[in-house]
């Protein structure tokens, strides 16, 4: 990638730049000039090179009720950027570093972060409501009238500049094309692509449930089932589709209403299991550089995910494409 140079005149000072602001749920985003404050302790201000649109952004864009339905806000959480300036107590990052902001934290200090058993961060993972990771409701964004603009899951990449806590930042090799690297901040890391051999249309199942059809197709059920949508009813069907004695169901989708699921306890006793997974089970700071290395060694294919590339000013086109089901990932370039 091309080197980006920064002067020291903006260090410790606000920056004025363009951002796509969501003023009201479901409405088109508006490109406005905003003020981005300097990073505080344990924070980094980065210049976004390119960003992409994820279904999670669509979900938050549509939210009308609940504590997460805060407006105005800057959405976006899949991106690549370059470090512009750093706050106090920031180690491991310097001006000019190529970085991935990620919504999933890794503090590297808590018991769970130090354990190889999971990617849970006991220190930070439970909080998805604050604007900034260590400063609660404090925001680094203001619009031209001085009104506070809310952050989006600690990234807010639909802005030329954003401020990210170091718990949500991963340094990567500058050798990987940035638009491919952006996919690793959520898309590929959250749900890797393996390929589909069969497709079941629920409209053609008749009176049978999806799980009944799948069991007939597979001779008793699948060894592994993955629920990727975030519906309690589909989680139950995924479990019922698994094989008695050894079937494993992995829940990837986030149930936005936190609805409970009902499972047959006898089926669990007979050997089936359910496992949850956030961010694909990856520890961001440890595993994303490994994925980058695998791409550079041509062991990981990222090309097929990118279906469109547009300028940042066309961001609402990206929303239309995804809502209509006409794109997988649309890359938006800040300077093109």
């Amino acid at each position: 990638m091309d080197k980006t140079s920064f002067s020291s005149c903006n260090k410790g000072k606000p920056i004025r730049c363009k951002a796509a602001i969501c003023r009201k749920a479901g409405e088109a985003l508006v490109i406005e000039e905003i003020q981005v404050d300097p990073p505080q302790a344990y924070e980094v201000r980065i210049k976004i090179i390119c960003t992409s649109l994820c279904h999670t952004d669509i979900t938050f864009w549509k939210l009308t009720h609940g504590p997460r339905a805060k407006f105005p806000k800057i959405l976006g959480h899949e991106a690549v950027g370059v470090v512009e300036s750093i706050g106090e107590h920031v180690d491991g990052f310097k001006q000019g570093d190529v970085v991935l902001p990620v919504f999933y934290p890794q503090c590297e200090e808590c018991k769970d972060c130090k354990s190889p058993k999971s990617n849970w961060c006991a220190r930070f993972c439970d909080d998805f409501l604050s604007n900034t990771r260590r400063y609660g409701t404090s925001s680094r964004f203001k619009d031209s009238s001085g009104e506070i603009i809310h952050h989006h899951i600690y990234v807010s990449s639909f802005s030329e500049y954003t401020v990210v806590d170091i718990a949500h930042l991963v340094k990567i090799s500058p050798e990987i094309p940035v638009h491919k690297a952006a996919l690793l901040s959520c898309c590929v890391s959250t749900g890797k692509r393996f390929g589909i051999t069969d497709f079941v249309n629920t409209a053609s199942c008749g009176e049978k449930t999806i799980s009944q059809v799948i069991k007939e197709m597979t001779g008793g059920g699948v060894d592994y089932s993955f629920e990727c949508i975030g519906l309690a009813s589909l989680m139950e069907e995924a479990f019922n589709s698994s094989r008695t004695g050894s079937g494993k169901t992995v829940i990837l989708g986030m149930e936005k209403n936190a609805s409970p699921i009902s499972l047959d306890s006898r089926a669990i006793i007979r050997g089936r299991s359910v496992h949850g997974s956030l961010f694909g089970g990856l520890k961001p700071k440890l595993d994303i550089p490994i994925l980058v290395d695998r791409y550079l060694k041509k062991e990981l294919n990222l090309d097929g995910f990118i279906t469109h590339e547009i300028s940042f000013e066309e961001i609402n086109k990206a929303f239309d494409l995804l809502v209509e089901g006409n794109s997988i990932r649309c890359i938006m370039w800040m300077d093109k």
Side-chain angles (χ1 to χ4, degrees):
M1 60 165 287
D2 295 334
K3 294 289 184 180
T4 301
S5 60
F6 299 101
S7 67
S8 60
C9 61
N10 287 323
K11 186 175 181 180
K13 298 180 181 179
I15 283 179
R16 304 202 72 83
C17 68
K18 291 181 180 179
I21 301 178
C22 180
R23 288 282 177 185
K24 189 175 181 181
E27 290 189 355
L29 275 57
V30 182
I31 303 290
E32 298 182 23
E33 185 179 86
I34 66 165
Q35 174 180 301
V36 182
D37 289 339
Q40 300 301 306
Y42 304 102
E43 293 180 342
V44 172
R45 187 164 60 188
I46 64 176
K47 175 180 171 61
I48 297 294
I49 301 171
C50 64
T51 183
S52 59
L53 179 64
C54 170
H55 283 281
T56 301
D57 296 313
I58 298 291
T59 299
F60 278 84
W61 172 59
K62 291 180 177 179
L63 279 183
T64 57
H65 299 90
R68 297 181 183 181
K70 299 185 292 187
F71 301 94
K73 72 169 63 173
I74 297 175
L75 294 165
H77 65 284
E78 289 184 359
V80 176
V82 177
V83 174
E84 178 270 335
S85 60
I86 62 176
E88 294 180 343
H89 311 305
V90 172
D91 296 320
F93 298 97
K94 65 181 186 303
Q95 192 180 69
D97 281 346
V98 182
V99 291
L100 280 185
V102 292
F103 76 92
Y104 202 69
Q106 184 184 351
C107 75
E108 301 183 283
E109 298 171 353
C110 70
K111 179 179 178 180
D112 289 296
C113 277
K114 292 179 179 179
S115 169
K117 294 181 180 179
S118 78
N119 67 341
W120 185 253
C121 175
R123 185 179 181 187
F124 291 138
C125 272
D126 274 330
D127 179 16
F128 272 93
L129 297 178
S130 296
N131 272 324
T132 52
R133 175 50 77 194
R134 299 170 208 249
Y135 302 91
T137 59
S138 177
S139 173
R140 303 290 171 258
F141 304 123
K142 297 183 181 70
D143 66 12
S144 57
S145 64
E147 181 184 4
I148 291 294
I149 306 171
H150 293 287
H151 291 242
H152 173 56
I153 51 178
Y154 305 104
V155 176
S156 293
S157 61
F158 293 167
S159 173
E160 291 178 316
Y161 286 86
T162 188
V163 175
V164 180
D165 191 285
I166 56 173
H168 292 266
L169 208 58
V170 179
K171 182 179 177 180
I172 62 170
S173 168
E175 295 181 29
I176 183 172
V178 287
H179 59 309
K180 307 289 179 60
L183 302 173
L184 300 176
S185 60
C186 178
C187 173
V188 176
S189 306
T190 303
K192 299 175 189 68
R193 181 180 179 182
F194 290 101
I196 297 173
T197 57
D198 297 277
F199 178 81
V200 179
N201 187 339
T202 55
S204 64
C205 291
E207 296 183 357
K208 295 180 180 179
T209 64
I210 302 172
S211 58
Q212 289 173 331
V213 173
I214 292 175
K215 281 189 172 182
E216 292 175 2
M217 291 172 58
T218 58
V222 295
D223 297 313
Y224 297 92
S225 62
F226 299 85
E227 197 284 336
C228 306
I229 304 301
L231 290 176
S233 59
L234 195 57
M235 294 174 188
E236 295 169 10
E237 282 295 281
F239 177 78
N240 293 332
S241 300
S242 65
R243 191 172 191 83
T244 299
S246 60
K248 183 174 183 177
T249 300
V250 181
I251 305 299
L252 298 170
M254 181 76 74
E255 233 289 352
K256 66 178 182 179
N257 296 316
S259 301
I261 60 175
S262 177
L263 304 178
D264 187 340
S265 60
R266 294 170 299 178
I268 296 177
I269 291 174
R270 291 169 183 169
R272 297 194 217 177
S273 62
V274 179
H275 185 77
S277 178
L278 270 171
F279 202 66
L282 302 181
K283 289 182 181 290
K285 294 176 183 290
L286 293 176
D287 295 322
I288 288 179
I290 293 174
L291 294 179
V292 170
D293 183 63
R294 288 182 178 175
Y295 172 81
L296 295 174
K297 291 179 178 177
K298 303 187 185 303
E299 297 173 356
L300 178 64
N301 178 21
L302 299 176
D303 298 0
F305 289 96
I306 300 174
T307 53
H308 300 80
E309 295 186 46
I310 60 177
S311 68
F312 180 58
E313 285 75 13
E314 300 176 280
I315 190 168
N316 288 302
K317 179 180 178 181
F319 276 73
D320 292 339
L321 288 168
L322 194 58
V323 170
E324 294 165 2
N326 293 323
S327 73
I328 299 176
R329 279 299 185 269
C330 182
I331 298 293
M332 291 167 278
W333 292 92
M334 290 296 178
D335 296 328
K336 292 186 180 181

Coordinates of all heavy atoms in Angstrom, one line a residue, residues 35-90:
Q35 N -16.2 17.1 13.8 CA -15.0 17.2 14.5 C -14.6 15.9 15.2 O -15.5 15.4 15.9 CB -15.1 18.4 15.5 CG -13.9 18.5 16.5 CD -14.1 19.6 17.5 OE1 -14.3 20.8 17.1 NE2 -14.1 19.3 18.8
V36 N -13.4 15.5 15.0 CA -12.9 14.3 15.7 C -11.9 14.7 16.7 O -10.8 15.2 16.4 CB -12.3 13.3 14.7 CG1 -11.9 12.0 15.4 CG2 -13.3 12.9 13.6
D37 N -12.2 14.5 18.0 CA -11.3 14.9 19.1 C -10.0 14.0 19.1 O -10.0 12.9 18.5 CB -12.0 14.8 20.4 CG -13.0 15.8 20.6 OD1 -13.0 16.9 19.9 OD2 -13.9 15.6 21.4
P38 N -8.9 14.5 19.7 CA -7.7 13.7 19.8 C -7.9 12.5 20.7 O -8.8 12.5 21.5 CB -6.7 14.7 20.4 CG -7.5 15.7 21.1 CD -8.8 15.9 20.3
P39 N -7.1 11.5 20.5 CA -7.2 10.3 21.4 C -6.8 10.6 22.8 O -5.9 11.4 23.1 CB -6.2 9.3 20.7 CG -5.2 10.2 20.1 CD -6.0 11.4 19.6
Q40 N -7.6 10.0 23.7 CA -7.2 10.0 25.1 C -6.3 8.9 25.5 O -5.8 8.1 24.6 CB -8.5 10.0 26.0 CG -9.5 11.1 25.7 CD -8.8 12.5 25.9 OE1 -8.3 12.8 27.0 NE2 -8.9 13.4 24.9
A41 N -6.0 8.7 26.8 CA -5.1 7.6 27.2 C -5.7 6.3 26.7 O -6.9 6.0 26.8 CB -5.0 7.6 28.7
Y42 N -4.8 5.4 26.2 CA -5.1 4.1 25.7 C -5.9 4.1 24.4 O -6.5 3.1 24.0 CB -5.9 3.2 26.7 CG -5.1 3.1 28.0 CD1 -5.5 3.9 29.1 CD2 -4.0 2.2 28.1 CE1 -4.8 3.8 30.3 CE2 -3.3 2.1 29.3 CZ -3.7 2.9 30.4 OH -3.0 2.8 31.6
E43 N -5.9 5.3 23.7 CA -6.7 5.4 22.4 C -5.7 5.8 21.3 O -4.7 6.4 21.5 CB -7.8 6.4 22.6 CG -8.9 6.0 23.5 CD -10.0 7.1 23.6 OE1 -9.7 8.2 23.2 OE2 -11.1 6.7 24.1
V44 N -6.2 5.5 20.1 CA -5.4 5.9 18.9 C -6.4 6.5 17.9 O -7.5 6.0 17.7 CB -4.8 4.6 18.2 CG1 -4.2 4.9 16.9 CG2 -3.8 4.0 19.1
R45 N -6.0 7.6 17.3 CA -6.8 8.2 16.2 C -6.2 7.7 14.9 O -5.0 7.8 14.6 CB -6.8 9.7 16.3 CG -7.7 10.4 15.3 CD -8.0 11.9 15.6 NE -6.7 12.7 15.6 CZ -6.7 13.9 16.0 NH1 -7.8 14.5 16.5 NH2 -5.6 14.6 16.0
I46 N -7.1 7.2 14.0 CA -6.7 6.6 12.8 C -7.4 7.3 11.6 O -8.5 7.7 11.7 CB -6.9 5.1 12.7 CG1 -8.4 4.7 12.8 CG2 -6.1 4.4 13.9 CD1 -8.6 3.2 12.6
K47 N -6.7 7.3 10.5 CA -7.2 7.7 9.2 C -7.7 6.5 8.5 O -6.9 5.6 8.2 CB -6.2 8.5 8.4 CG -6.6 8.9 7.0 CD -5.5 9.6 6.2 CE -5.8 9.8 4.8 NZ -7.0 10.7 4.6
I48 N -9.0 6.5 8.2 CA -9.6 5.3 7.5 C -9.2 5.4 6.0 O -9.4 6.4 5.4 CB -11.1 5.3 7.7 CG1 -11.5 5.1 9.1 CG2 -11.7 4.2 6.8 CD1 -11.1 3.8 9.7
I49 N -8.7 4.3 5.5 CA -8.4 4.2 4.1 C -9.6 3.6 3.3 O -10.0 4.2 2.3 CB -7.2 3.3 3.8 CG1 -6.0 3.8 4.6 CG2 -6.9 3.1 2.4 CD1 -4.8 2.8 4.6
C50 N -10.1 2.5 3.7 CA -11.4 2.0 3.1 C -12.2 1.3 4.2 O -11.7 0.8 5.2 CB -11.1 1.1 1.9 SG -10.2 -0.4 2.4
T51 N -13.5 1.2 3.9 CA -14.4 0.5 4.9 C -15.4 -0.3 4.1 O -15.6 -0.1 2.9 CB -15.1 1.6 5.8 OG1 -15.9 0.9 6.7 CG2 -15.9 2.5 5.0
S52 N -16.1 -1.2 4.7 CA -17.1 -1.9 4.1 C -18.4 -2.0 4.9 O -18.4 -1.6 6.1 CB -16.6 -3.3 3.7 OG -16.2 -4.0 4.8
L53 N -19.5 -2.5 4.3 CA -20.8 -2.5 5.0 C -21.1 -4.0 5.4 O -21.0 -4.9 4.6 CB -21.8 -2.0 4.1 CG -23.3 -1.9 4.7 CD1 -23.4 -1.0 5.9 CD2 -24.3 -1.5 3.6
C54 N -21.5 -4.1 6.7 CA -21.8 -5.5 7.2 C -23.3 -5.5 7.6 O -23.9 -4.5 7.8 CB -21.0 -5.7 8.4 SG -21.4 -7.2 9.4
H55 N -23.9 -6.7 7.6 CA -25.3 -6.8 8.0 C -25.6 -6.3 9.4 O -26.7 -5.8 9.7 CB -25.7 -8.3 8.0 CG -26.0 -8.8 6.6 ND1 -27.2 -8.5 5.9 CD2 -25.2 -9.5 5.7 CE1 -27.1 -9.1 4.7 NE2 -25.9 -9.7 4.6
T56 N -24.5 -6.3 10.3 CA -24.7 -5.8 11.6 C -24.9 -4.3 11.6 O -25.7 -3.7 12.4 CB -23.4 -6.1 12.5 OG1 -23.3 -7.5 12.6 CG2 -23.6 -5.5 13.9
D57 N -24.3 -3.6 10.7 CA -24.5 -2.2 10.5 C -26.0 -1.9 10.1 O -26.6 -1.0 10.5 CB -23.6 -1.6 9.4 CG -22.1 -1.7 9.8 OD1 -21.8 -1.3 10.9 OD2 -21.3 -2.1 9.0
I58 N -26.5 -2.8 9.2 CA -27.9 -2.7 8.8 C -28.8 -2.8 10.0 O -29.8 -2.1 10.2 CB -28.2 -3.7 7.7 CG1 -27.4 -3.5 6.5 CG2 -29.7 -3.7 7.4 CD1 -27.7 -2.3 5.7
T59 N -28.5 -3.8 10.9 CA -29.4 -4.0 12.0 C -29.4 -2.8 12.9 O -30.5 -2.4 13.4 CB -28.8 -5.2 12.8 OG1 -28.9 -6.4 12.0 CG2 -29.6 -5.5 14.1
F60 N -28.2 -2.2 13.2 CA -28.2 -1.0 14.1 C -28.8 0.2 13.4 O -29.3 1.1 14.1 CB -26.7 -0.8 14.5 CG -26.2 -1.6 15.7 CD1 -25.8 -2.9 15.5 CD2 -26.3 -1.1 16.9 CE1 -25.3 -3.6 16.5 CE2 -25.9 -1.8 18.0 CZ -25.4 -3.1 17.8
W61 N -28.7 0.2 12.1 CA -29.3 1.3 11.3 C -30.8 1.3 11.4 O -31.4 2.4 11.5 CB -28.8 1.2 9.9 CG -29.5 2.1 8.8 CD1 -29.4 3.4 8.8 CD2 -30.2 1.7 7.7 NE1 -30.1 3.9 7.7 CE2 -30.6 2.9 7.0 CE3 -30.6 0.4 7.1 CZ2 -31.3 2.8 5.8 CZ3 -31.3 0.4 6.0 CH2 -31.7 1.6 5.3
K62 N -31.4 0.1 11.6 CA -32.8 0.0 11.6 C -33.4 0.1 13.0 O -34.6 0.2 13.2 CB -33.3 -1.3 11.0 CG -33.1 -1.4 9.5 CD -33.5 -2.8 9.0 CE -33.4 -2.9 7.5 NZ -33.8 -4.2 7.0
L63 N -32.5 0.0 14.1 CA -33.0 0.0 15.4 C -33.8 1.2 15.8 O -33.4 2.3 15.6 CB -31.9 -0.2 16.4 CG -31.3 -1.6 16.6 CD1 -30.2 -1.5 17.7 CD2 -32.4 -2.6 17.1
T64 N -35.0 1.0 16.4 CA -35.9 2.1 16.8 C -36.1 2.2 18.3 O -36.6 3.2 18.8 CB -37.2 2.1 16.0 OG1 -37.9 0.8 16.3 CG2 -37.1 2.2 14.5
H65 N -35.8 1.1 19.0 CA -36.1 1.0 20.4 C -34.9 0.3 21.1 O -34.1 -0.4 20.5 CB -37.4 0.2 20.7 CG -38.6 0.8 20.1 ND1 -39.1 0.5 18.8 CD2 -39.5 1.7 20.6 CE1 -40.2 1.2 18.6 NE2 -40.4 1.9 19.6
G66 N -34.8 0.6 22.4 CA -33.8 0.0 23.2 C -32.6 0.9 23.4 O -32.4 1.9 22.7
P67 N -31.7 0.5 24.3 CA -30.5 1.3 24.7 C -29.5 1.5 23.5 O -28.7 2.4 23.6 CB -29.9 0.5 25.8 CG -30.4 -0.9 25.7 CD -31.8 -0.8 25.1
R68 N -29.6 0.6 22.5 CA -28.6 0.7 21.4 C -29.1 1.6 20.3 O -28.4 1.8 19.3 CB -28.3 -0.7 20.8 CG -27.6 -1.6 21.9 CD -27.3 -3.0 21.3 NE -26.7 -3.9 22.3 CZ -26.3 -5.1 22.0 NH1 -26.5 -5.6 20.8 NH2 -25.8 -5.8 23.0
A69 N -30.4 2.0 20.4 CA -31.0 2.8 19.3 C -30.7 4.3 19.6 O -31.5 5.1 20.0 CB -32.5 2.6 19.2
K70 N -29.4 4.7 19.5 CA -28.9 6.0 19.8 C -28.6 6.8 18.6 O -27.8 6.3 17.8 CB -27.7 6.0 20.8 CG -28.1 5.3 22.1 CD -26.9 5.4 23.1 CE -25.7 4.6 22.7 NZ -24.6 4.6 23.7
F71 N -29.1 7.9 18.4 CA -28.8 8.8 17.2 C -28.6 10.2 17.6 O -29.1 10.6 18.7 CB -30.0 8.7 16.2 CG -30.3 7.3 15.8 CD1 -31.3 6.5 16.4 CD2 -29.6 6.8 14.7 CE1 -31.6 5.2 16.0 CE2 -29.9 5.5 14.3 CZ -30.9 4.7 14.9
P72 N -27.8 11.0 16.8 CA -27.1 10.6 15.6 C -25.9 9.7 15.9 O -25.4 9.8 17.0 CB -26.7 11.9 15.0 CG -26.5 12.8 16.2 CD -27.6 12.4 17.2
K73 N -25.5 8.9 15.0 CA -24.4 8.0 15.2 C -23.6 7.8 13.9 O -24.1 8.0 12.8 CB -24.8 6.6 15.8 CG -25.5 5.7 14.7 CD -25.7 4.3 15.2 CE -26.6 4.3 16.4 NZ -26.9 2.9 16.9
I74 N -22.4 7.3 14.1 CA -21.5 7.0 12.9 C -21.4 5.5 12.9 O -20.8 4.9 13.9 CB -20.2 7.7 13.0 CG1 -20.4 9.2 12.9 CG2 -19.3 7.2 11.8 CD1 -19.1 10.0 13.1
L75 N -22.0 4.8 11.9 CA -21.9 3.4 11.8 C -20.6 2.9 11.2 O -19.7 3.7 11.0 CB -23.1 2.9 11.0 CG -24.5 3.1 11.6 CD1 -25.5 2.9 10.5 CD2 -24.7 2.1 12.7
G76 N -20.5 1.6 11.0 CA -19.3 1.1 10.3 C -18.3 0.4 11.3 O -18.0 1.0 12.3
H77 N -17.9 -0.8 11.0 CA -17.0 -1.5 11.9 C -16.0 -2.4 11.1 O -15.2 -3.1 11.8 CB -17.7 -2.3 13.0 CG -18.5 -3.4 12.5 ND1 -19.8 -3.2 11.9 CD2 -18.3 -4.8 12.5 CE1 -20.3 -4.4 11.5 NE2 -19.4 -5.4 11.9
E78 N -16.1 -2.4 9.8 CA -15.1 -3.2 9.0 C -14.3 -2.2 8.2 O -14.8 -1.5 7.4 CB -15.8 -4.1 8.0 CG -16.5 -5.3 8.6 CD -17.1 -6.2 7.6 OE1 -17.0 -5.9 6.4 OE2 -17.7 -7.2 8.0
A79 N -13.0 -2.1 8.5 CA -12.2 -1.1 7.9 C -10.7 -1.4 8.0 O -10.3 -2.2 8.8 CB -12.5 0.3 8.5
V80 N -9.9 -0.6 7.3 CA -8.5 -0.5 7.5 C -8.1 0.9 7.6 O -8.7 1.8 6.9 CB -7.7 -1.2 6.3 CG1 -6.2 -1.0 6.4 CG2 -8.1 -2.6 6.2
G81 N -7.1 1.2 8.4 CA -6.7 2.6 8.6 C -5.2 2.7 8.9 O -4.5 1.7 9.0
V82 N -4.7 3.9 9.0 CA -3.4 4.2 9.3 C -3.3 5.1 10.6 O -4.1 6.0 10.7 CB -2.7 5.0 8.2 CG1 -1.2 5.3 8.6 CG2 -2.7 4.1 6.9
V83 N -2.5 4.8 11.5 CA -2.4 5.5 12.8 C -2.0 6.9 12.5 O -0.9 7.2 11.9 CB -1.4 4.9 13.8 CG1 -1.2 5.7 15.0 CG2 -1.9 3.5 14.2
E84 N -2.8 7.9 12.9 CA -2.5 9.3 12.8 C -1.8 9.9 14.0 O -0.9 10.7 14.0 CB -3.8 10.1 12.4 CG -3.6 11.6 12.2 CD -3.8 12.4 13.6 OE1 -4.5 11.8 14.4 OE2 -3.3 13.5 13.7
S85 N -2.3 9.5 15.2 CA -1.8 10.0 16.5 C -2.2 9.0 17.6 O -3.2 8.3 17.4 CB -2.2 11.4 16.8 OG -3.7 11.5 16.9
I86 N -1.4 9.1 18.7 CA -1.7 8.2 19.8 C -1.8 8.9 21.1 O -1.3 10.0 21.2 CB -0.6 7.1 19.9 CG1 0.7 7.7 20.2 CG2 -0.5 6.2 18.7 CD1 1.9 6.7 20.5
G87 N -2.6 8.4 22.0 CA -2.8 9.0 23.3 C -1.7 8.4 24.3 O -0.8 7.6 23.9
E88 N -1.8 8.8 25.5 CA -0.9 8.4 26.6 C -1.1 6.9 26.8 O -2.2 6.3 26.6 CB -1.1 9.1 27.9 CG -0.8 10.6 27.7 CD -1.0 11.3 29.1 OE1 -1.7 10.8 29.9 OE2 -0.4 12.4 29.2
H89 N 0.0 6.2 27.3 CA 0.0 4.8 27.7 C -0.3 3.9 26.5 O -0.8 2.8 26.8 CB -1.0 4.6 28.8 CG -0.9 5.6 30.0 ND1 0.3 5.8 30.6 CD2 -1.8 6.4 30.5 CE1 0.1 6.7 31.6 NE2 -1.2 7.1 31.5
V90 N 0.0 4.3 25.3 CA -0.2 3.4 24.2 C 1.1 2.8 23.8 O 2.0 3.5 23.4 CB -0.8 4.2 23.0 CG1 -0.8 3.3 21.7 CG2 -2.2 4.7 23.3

